[in-house]
Amino acid sequence: MRQTSELDPELPDSRETPYAAHQRSQVTALVDRELQALPERQRAALALVHYEQVAAAEAAAILGVSIEALESLLARARRTLRTRLTSLKPDLLGSVE
Amino acid sequence: MNNNKLMTLERLGTLLDAYGGDLRRWPEPARSTAEALIARDGAARQLFNQALALDALLDEASAPAPSHALKARLIVRARPALWRQGFGALWPFGPAWQPAAAFALIAALGISLGVTVGPADIAASASDDVDVLGLYDTFDDEDLS
């Protein structure tokens, strides 16, 4: 009989300590909040390219912008997130494996 | 964007800023030159690792919910497929993969984010898509400057 983690890789790792799980959920909540705080078009660009892995040309077409404008939206989104997350929790960018 | 040029550190930084460290998200023509620069240049590697760290953080988050405007965009983009299904003979233009991909994306966004793009949403969005697109054009503010 296979182990639970093999049946569903989305289940939390049972070896993760409660403290680590708590830390992880805090990070998730923090990043979620900062994502929601992005301007709508930047968030949409990031949702398409990062989370849905839509090709750049198609994402640009969906948003009705050029590739250059898409890259600008993405870069602003990522820079803002990096700056905000680092200022809120300086060790954060080194804390996620 | 010119991916045919020799990749410079500055261009690599621009692309890492935009697409992150997973080269599968990059425009295909830039990938091999970026990989070569990262392999031979320490500063490039540092930028690459910084981008990967931010990617890992983003992967910890839930994917952001699509706005009504984005859903409407996807629906408008997918609409030619609806037309072709019903009126194929009258609408033989355009590549078939685009609307199919748009529909798949709508489904993916809806499923992965727990948001149902149901018939009511589609009907509502489709009925006012002209207004949405009109408003959308006004989004060309400082975001794109």
Side-chain angles (χ1 to χ4, degrees), chain B:
Chain B
M1 184 176 65
N2 185 349
N3 294 316
N4 295 322
K5 286 181 181 173
L6 187 65
M7 182 68 66
T8 63
L9 193 59
E10 183 183 5
R11 179 63 183 150
L12 179 75
T14 301
L15 290 168
L16 286 169
D17 268 353
Y19 299 107
D22 186 342
L23 299 187
R24 290 171 299 183
R25 294 191 178 97
W26 284 40
E28 200 279 331
R31 293 176 195 166
S32 58
T33 50
E35 280 176 331
L37 182 57
I38 290 164
R40 71 170 184 267
D41 187 301
R45 251 190 322 278
Q46 190 175 358
L47 291 176
F48 178 64
N49 288 332
Q50 287 171 355
L52 285 178
L54 183 57
D55 285 348
L57 261 188
L58 293 177
D59 290 341
E60 289 294 306
S62 319
S67 65
H68 180 77
L70 176 56
K71 283 193 281 186
R73 268 275 167 187
L74 289 164
I75 289 161
V76 168
R77 194 162 169 72
R79 183 174 289 175
L82 286 175
W83 291 346
R84 269 197 297 278
Q85 282 171 9
F87 308 100
L90 301 175
W91 188 262
F93 312 108
W97 65 268
Q98 287 181 336
F103 273 126
L105 188 55
I106 292 167
L109 283 166
I111 292 167
S112 67
L113 305 174
V115 176
T116 302
V117 185
D121 284 340
I122 293 172
S125 298
S127 68
D128 63 7
D129 64 330
V130 174
D131 289 341
V132 169
L133 293 177
L135 285 172
Y136 192 85
D137 290 338
T138 66
F139 286 161
D140 288 335
D141 50 13
E142 69 280 359
D143 266 356
L144 297 178
S145 59

